[in-house]
C-alpha cells in the first residue's frame, strides 16, 4: 500500500501504521513525497504479539495464507498457552518496531503443533485491510 507522506513529512522506515481499529503494518520504504506500507499478513511483516489473558502468552504474528487477508497466524506460543476464542491480541513491545499495547485482533482458534511442543492460533484482525481509506503513522 502507498501513502502520501514521505521523508519531507518526517516519515522513516519501520514506523508503525494504524487505523482507528488497530495496527495494519509498518513503513517499508520512503521517498520524498510518499511511502510504501507493508501490511500485517504479508510475509515481510512479522509482529511480536501478546494475548491479553492471565498468562500473557506471547508469540509472533505472520501471514496465515493467501486466501484470507483478515486472518493472521500467531506462532511460537508455549505448549501450555491458555488461549480462548475472543481474547484480545496486542503488540508486545518487543522487537523495537511496534510499541506495546497497540490493538491487533482477536483469537479465533488455537491448536497444538510440533508434536505437542508448541501452540499456534489464528487471529482475526480488527482492521479491515481491504477497505482502508485513512491511516495514521505513529511517530516515536
Amino acid at each position: 500500500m502507498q501513502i502520501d507522506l514521505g521523508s519531507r513529512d518526517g516519515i522513516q522506515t519501520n514506523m508503525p501504521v494504524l487505523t482507528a481499529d488497530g495496527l495494519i503494518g509498518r513503513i517499508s520504504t520512503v521517498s520524498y513525497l510518499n511511502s510504501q506500507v507493508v501490511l500485517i499478513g504479508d510475509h515481510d511483516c512479522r509482529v511480536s504479539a501478546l494475548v491479553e489473558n492471565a498468562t500473557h502468552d506471547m508469540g509472533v504474528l505472520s501471514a496465515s495464507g493467501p486466501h484470507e487477508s483478515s486472518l493472521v497466524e500467531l506462532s511460537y506460543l508455549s505448549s501450555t498457552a491458555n488461549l480462548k476464542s475472543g481474547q484480545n491480541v496486542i503488540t508486545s513491545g518487543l522487537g523495537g518496531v511496534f510499541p506495546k499495547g497497540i490493538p491487533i485482533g482477536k483469537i479465533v482458534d488455537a491448536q497444538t503443533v510440533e508434536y505437542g511442543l508448541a501452540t499456534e492460533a489464528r487471529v482475526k484482525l480488527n482492521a479491515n485491510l481491504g477497505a482502508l481509506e485513512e491511516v495514521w503513522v505513529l511517530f516515536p
Side-chain angles (χ1 to χ4, degrees), residues 3 5-13 15 27 30 35 137 139:
I3 61 172
L5 296 172
S7 60
R8 72 170 177 174
D9 305 295
I11 300 295
Q12 299 174 2
T13 58
M15 287 180 151
I27 301 292
V30 180
S35 302
V137 179
F139 281 75

Side-chain angles (χ1 to χ4, degrees), residues 1-6 9 11 16-17 24 27 29 31 33-37 133-137:
M1 178 179 86
Q2 186 170 318
I3 61 172
D4 62 352
L5 296 172
D9 305 295
I11 300 295
V17 181
I24 64 158
I27 301 292
T29 58
S31 68
L33 296 174
N34 49 44
S35 302
Q36 288 293 120
V37 177
E133 292 185 20
E134 182 175 72
V135 300
W136 300 305
V137 179

Side-chain angles (χ1 to χ4, degrees), residues 51-54 57 82-89 105-107:
V51 180
E52 288 188 318
N53 60 13
D57 296 306
N82 185 21
L83 304 179
K84 294 183 178 121
S85 179
Q87 290 175 324
N88 289 321
V89 178
K106 294 188 182 303
I107 298 288

Side-chain angles (χ1 to χ4, degrees), residues 42-110:
D42 187 289
H43 291 286
D44 292 328
C45 188
R46 295 184 183 264
V47 180
S48 177
L50 173 78
V51 180
E52 288 188 318
N53 60 13
T55 54
H56 300 293
D57 296 306
M58 281 201 282
V60 177
L61 281 175
S62 60
S64 177
H67 302 295
E68 183 59 62
S69 65
S70 68
L71 291 176
V72 291
E73 188 172 285
L74 183 58
S75 305
Y76 305 108
L77 292 156
S78 160
S79 62
T80 59
N82 185 21
L83 304 179
K84 294 183 178 121
S85 179
Q87 290 175 324
N88 289 321
V89 178
I90 61 173
T91 55
S92 72
L94 301 176
V97 175
F98 305 103
K100 185 176 182 177
I102 300 173
I104 297 171
K106 294 188 182 303
I107 298 288
V108 173
D109 56 25

